[in-house]
Amino acid sequence: MNAFPEITKIEYEGPETDNPLAFRWYNPHEMIEGKSMQDHLRFSVVYWHTFRANGSDPFGMPTLHRPWDDGTDSVENAKNRARVAFEFMEKLGAPYYAFHDRDVAPEGGSFSETNRNLDAVVDVLAEEQARTGIKLLWGTANLFSHPRFMHGAATSPNAEVFAYAAGQVKKAMEVTNRLGGENYVFWGGREGYMNLFNTDIKRELDHLGQFMNMAVDFAKQIGFEGTFLIEPKPKEPTKHQYDSDAAACINFLRAYGLMDHFKLNIETNHATLAGHTMMHELDYAGAQGCLGSIDANRGDLLLGWDTDQFPTNIYLTTEVMLTLLKYGGIAPGGVNFDAKVRRESIDPVDLFHAHIGGMDAFARGLRMAAAIRADGGLDEFLGQRYSNWDSGLGAEIESGKHTYETLFEVMSQQGDATANASGRQEFLENYINRFF
Ligand code: XLS
Ligand code: NI
Ligand code: NI
């Protein structure tokens, strides 16, 4: 393949370079906190945006006409595109990729024909993985684009749609397993509702729980050892999605006995749509032992939907990397660029600029986070802020020695709690800014 003839392998040239097709901060083999940047960040390219987005939006037609696409939905074209995808990822130096079944191969006239199409393209993916060493971060099934999923997939009121979705996930899990995928993702595209008058929430959630338990059973059957991930998102395309945020997902996992098998794939733009920060979602998931992987992108505060832009804000990436390092890193998940170029960015080279920018922003975030951790000021402050729980009354409460009655007695004796110390928010915000 030579789809990008004027582009050679993207190399690290350091912050001083003026080459826009070089990394200024991402130096894959440089060690940070005893681990290479490549192993910390585990960058992944998404097939759907990078190789399938055509620039159409609700108001306009496609703008992105790729020279390697012949404009047909043939299996041959899909195979050719797969080879182009690997040329791109190889030149970029991304170690991972992720895809939906329907991104890589066209839907056929029947369930079986669709599966044959998928197998034909997966043969090429397997060949290209072997040729380049690029690995599959995760696979997933598209259970939201086709009209049969208009009311949802596992939560459809139509039992045959549930059956179709289950069969489709079986196939997608087999393919993910064949390609050595390290995770498998469920994003509940239409698993939610548009109107509560026509929705039986209890029944739909029970079906969703049953669907996920079937996945766990099937993984055992085929020996799939990757992590299952649920990707929270509050809305779009439905008005309310059941997996609305990290807390809702974790409650669902607990309710249906899935906590040992699932973690979360947290996406920046989904966090903001839910009214949270990315740091909140990561910290909450991490605190519950559910931090699995991230979809790295960003939204636009002035637009109310999932704009899936590439992350370039180094304050954001620093917060993300601080939180990932706090919980021991993201592996076997990764930093997956669920992001697309704008519909006005019509040249193939724009795909390189976008990914290079995202990778550099995360590399810089990693460097900042490591510097903040090395300095130790934050940890020291936190330790101090909670220090009265380390001994005396606090330690007694934590170890379960007290009840409402004994604490009532303590306060009756003492008269009042000791005075509070300052939260020092402004001091800490200034402290973080010192590293930029
Ligand atoms: C859509 C989601 C989707 C998942 C994979 O908003 O981000 O792209 O990552 O199905
Ligand atoms: Ni996503
Ligand atoms: Ni998204």
Side-chain angles (χ1 to χ4, degrees):
M1 272 329 316
N2 198 8
F4 308 97
E6 60 303 348
I7 290 167
T8 51
K9 176 104 178 37
I10 309 300
E11 303 286 356
Y12 171 72
E13 292 183 9
E16 304 306 323
T17 187
D18 59 8
N19 177 5
L21 292 170
F23 295 118
R24 306 156 81 85
W25 304 98
Y26 178 56
N27 187 11
H29 301 294
E30 190 179 324
M31 302 298 279
I32 292 192
E33 292 195 7
K35 201 153 88 175
S36 70
M37 293 185 90
Q38 178 172 305
D39 288 348
H40 273 290
L41 294 162
R42 299 168 58 84
F43 286 129
S44 162
V45 170
V46 306
Y47 210 96
W48 54 100
H49 285 319
T50 300
F51 307 109
R52 300 313 309 274
N54 61 16
S56 63
D57 72 9
F59 303 94
M61 293 187 282
T63 55
L64 309 175
H65 303 287
R66 302 305 187 192
W68 54 82
D69 254 329
D70 68 11
T72 70
D73 214 8
S74 71
V75 172
E76 270 324 296
N77 191 31
K79 285 179 168 176
N80 186 53
R81 188 190 295 122
R83 296 203 171 88
V84 172
F86 275 84
E87 181 193 337
F88 174 81
M89 296 187 285
E90 212 183 356
K91 287 187 166 169
L92 181 67
Y96 288 96
Y97 74 114
F99 69 87
H100 302 83
D101 47 5
R102 301 297 173 261
D103 305 332
V104 293
E107 184 110 19
S110 69
F111 183 64
S112 302
E113 192 190 335
T114 301
N115 290 334
R116 279 196 299 277
N117 291 351
L118 182 56
D119 283 333
V121 182
V122 167
D123 287 344
V124 177
L125 298 177
E127 255 171 59
E128 290 291 299
Q129 283 188 207
R131 182 183 68 76
T132 59
I134 293 169
K135 295 186 274 189
L136 180 61
L137 185 67
W138 47 264
T140 188
N142 179 329
L143 304 176
F144 46 89
S145 292
H146 194 278
R148 77 175 66 84
F149 299 121
M150 65 201 288
H151 302 294
T155 63
S156 174
N158 179 346
E160 293 202 352
V161 172
F162 180 104
Y164 193 104
Q168 189 178 330
V169 170
K170 170 187 184 285
K171 181 70 187 171
M173 281 175 59
E174 284 167 349
V175 159
T176 301
N177 199 29
R178 173 178 169 202
L179 294 173
E182 299 186 20
N183 305 271
Y184 184 90
V185 164
F186 289 92
W187 168 62
R190 293 183 196 274
E191 313 291 27
Y193 60 81
M194 298 303 278
N195 188 302
L196 281 173
F197 288 134
N198 71 7
T199 303
D200 184 338
I201 283 201
K202 166 85 171 88
R203 212 160 180 183
E204 292 200 2
L205 281 170
D206 285 350
H207 293 162
L208 193 59
Q210 208 179 348
F211 195 82
M212 299 305 185
N213 273 291
M214 285 181 181
V216 172
D217 292 343
F218 188 63
K220 276 189 207 127
Q221 215 172 303
I222 61 172
F224 173 65
E225 286 176 357
T227 313
F228 282 121
L229 301 170
I230 291 193
E231 185 177 319
K233 184 177 184 181
K235 57 187 169 189
E236 193 206 29
T238 61
K239 150 165 115 174
H240 175 86
Q241 279 167 225
Y242 295 131
D243 301 331
S244 51
D245 62 3
C249 287
I250 292 169
N251 178 59
F252 168 82
L253 294 175
R254 285 219 171 87
Y256 292 96
L258 294 160
M259 280 295 273
D260 292 341
H261 307 282
F262 278 77
K263 290 191 165 155
L264 303 184
N265 180 36
I266 306 287
E267 177 166 323
T268 321
N269 206 164
H270 298 181
T272 51
L273 285 174
H276 302 307
T277 60
M278 179 65 165
M279 195 177 178
H280 162 93
E281 286 290 86
L282 293 173
D283 217 350
Y284 190 91
Q288 304 271 329
C290 290
L291 188 47
S293 195
I294 69 169
D295 272 8
N297 62 15
R298 77 183 145 112
D300 187 314
L301 290 179
L302 302 184
L303 296 171
W305 64 90
D306 200 12
T307 58
D308 287 343
Q309 296 173 76
F310 276 83
T312 52
N313 181 337
I314 52 180
Y315 213 99
L316 167 71
T317 58
T318 300
E319 290 177 347
V320 170
M321 292 315 300
L322 255 182
T323 315
L324 296 189
L325 291 175
K326 169 171 158 185
Y327 290 105
I330 196 65
V335 174
N336 181 52
F337 290 113
D338 192 354
K340 61 185 175 209
V341 295
R342 300 302 85 193
R343 75 192 290 269
E344 305 85 352
S345 301
I346 57 178
D347 295 335
V349 72
D350 292 313
L351 295 172
F352 280 93
H353 292 308
H355 285 86
I356 291 168
M359 289 161 84
D360 260 351
F362 264 88
R364 211 165 166 193
L366 169 61
R367 291 172 187 276
M368 295 285 194
I372 293 169
R373 282 158 59 87
D375 186 73
L378 266 189
D379 271 356
E380 196 188 313
F381 180 84
L382 268 180
Q384 222 177 7
R385 187 162 190 238
Y386 292 88
S387 60
N388 77 105
W389 288 90
D390 296 339
S391 61
L393 181 66
E396 285 171 24
I397 297 174
E398 277 195 352
S399 65
K401 289 206 180 93
H402 280 282
T403 63
Y404 276 0
E405 284 167 309
T406 60
L407 295 175
F408 183 92
E409 269 319 304
V410 170
M411 280 305 135
S412 302
Q413 300 283 323
Q414 205 172 303
D416 201 352
T418 48
N420 283 314
S422 168
R424 297 257 188 274
Q425 182 176 323
E426 298 77 10
F427 163 84
L428 287 170
E429 286 168 352
N430 298 349
Y431 167 77
I432 294 292
N433 278 353
R434 270 197 248 156
F435 294 86
F436 282 79

